[in-house]
Amino acid sequence: MTRASLDKQPHEVASMFDGVAANYDLTNDVISLGQARLWRKAVAAAVDARPAQKILDLAAGTATSSQPFAQAGAYVVPCDFSLGMLEVGKRRHPWMPFTAGDGMRLPFKDEVFDTVTISFGLRNIQDTETALRELYRVTKPGGRVVICEFSQPTWAPFRTVYTEYLMRALPPTARAVASNPDAYVYLAESIRAWPDQPGLAALLQKAGWSKVAWRNLTGGVVALHRATRA
Ligand SMILES: C[S@@+](CC[C@H](N)C(=O)[O-])C[C@H]1O[C@@H](n2cnc3c(N)ncnc32)[C@H](O)[C@@H]1O
């Protein structure tokens, strides 16, 4: 594989997600070998949504990542720039205030959300630091960010097996279930190119966030980063 498919422009990323929207959630369950549901539970626990809280779920896609916060009684705004993903989400959750918007220029005023969160989306945004600064801007002072993203398994033998899975088994599996298998080649490449746990923590600090911490899930296949706005 080459790095070429990683150099996608934002409109290409949006149209790639438009293309996978119909089968997106099913494909996730299959290619994560059922782990996706556990990761979502961990995100829900970290966000700890409460009634009357205002939560931004950036890169929410079909809003599967937003649903636990709404179920906990919070006011959750799913925001994404793929109209195809938003359409699928709106059909499933017509009461949610879906908002079309780019993570690098959020269509919200300063300091409006108690918590901002992003699951499996930050890696896809062209400029990570700009997105982290935008998330900071729209968060109330004292508010929090929770980021759920693929990362690096910490135990070397497991890392080797996982890398084999990403590069060899995932593309054919995706070909069997996904509507646009190329999107899952991009997935494998983008995970390999993404910063590890301390690398993302450093980017959060650089964007102004404090009290940065993370927790590994599934041995570090996924990491949950948390931070606070001063
Ligand atoms: C892998 S999906 C994650 C969806 C959802 N958060 C979940 O956990 O199922 C990534 C989403 O990021 C969105 N995305 C990528 N770049 C974006 C950007 N610059 N602004 C807004 N959304 C973006 C894509 O459209 C896609 O819906």
Side-chain angles (χ1 to χ4, degrees):
M1 286 178 203
T2 68
R3 258 197 68 90
S5 66
L6 282 179
D7 301 327
K8 285 192 191 304
Q9 292 302 306
H11 71 275
E12 293 175 301
V13 174
S15 95
M16 179 181 74
F17 279 101
D18 289 345
V20 299
N23 285 341
Y24 170 78
D25 290 284
L26 168 70
T27 309
N28 267 358
D29 276 340
V30 173
I31 65 175
S32 73
L33 310 176
Q35 296 289 296
R37 285 164 196 255
L38 301 177
W39 300 335
R40 292 200 189 282
K41 279 193 186 155
V43 176
V47 169
D48 190 22
R50 306 279 169 96
Q53 274 183 347
K54 209 169 165 192
I55 296 178
L56 169 64
D57 185 18
L58 177 58
T62 60
T64 304
S65 51
S66 319
Q67 206 180 357
F69 318 133
Q71 276 167 349
Y75 179 78
V76 53
V77 178
C79 176
D80 201 286
F81 74 175
S82 158
L83 301 183
M85 293 288 270
L86 290 179
E87 267 317 304
V88 173
K90 277 184 202 165
R91 279 202 296 274
R92 287 187 196 154
H93 316 286
W95 62 91
M96 282 192 196
F98 285 91
T99 304
D102 185 341
M104 294 193 292
R105 279 184 309 274
L106 287 173
F108 306 108
K109 295 194 173 136
D110 296 356
E111 303 182 4
V112 284
F113 293 101
D114 298 290
T115 302
V116 293
T117 181
I118 179 164
S119 290
F120 307 108
L122 192 59
R123 182 179 27 86
N124 299 299
I125 299 184
Q126 199 179 33
D127 185 337
T128 311
E129 206 180 313
T130 301
L132 292 176
R133 285 190 195 285
E134 273 295 87
L135 286 170
Y136 188 92
R137 179 183 68 74
V138 302
T139 304
K140 293 178 187 171
R144 295 181 312 130
V145 64
V146 174
I147 299 171
C148 177
E149 192 47 270
F150 289 107
S151 199
Q152 288 292 325
T154 46
W155 190 48
F158 179 48
R159 194 161 56 238
T160 307
V161 172
Y162 173 65
T163 305
E164 281 296 298
Y165 169 72
L166 270 186
M167 305 317 282
R168 293 187 198 280
L170 190 144
T173 309
R175 263 193 288 281
V177 285
S179 38
N180 175 6
D182 285 349
Y184 293 88
V185 173
Y186 165 82
L187 170 71
E189 287 187 41
S190 68
I191 293 173
R192 274 169 54 99
W194 183 244
D196 63 7
Q197 293 83 336
L200 180 54
L203 287 176
L204 274 158
Q205 276 159 346
K206 201 168 165 212
W209 293 94
S210 50
K211 296 188 193 158
V212 179
W214 72 84
R215 175 186 161 205
N216 288 324
L217 305 175
T218 317
V221 167
V222 164
L224 214 52
H225 282 72
R226 299 181 309 280
T228 302
R229 179 181 168 155

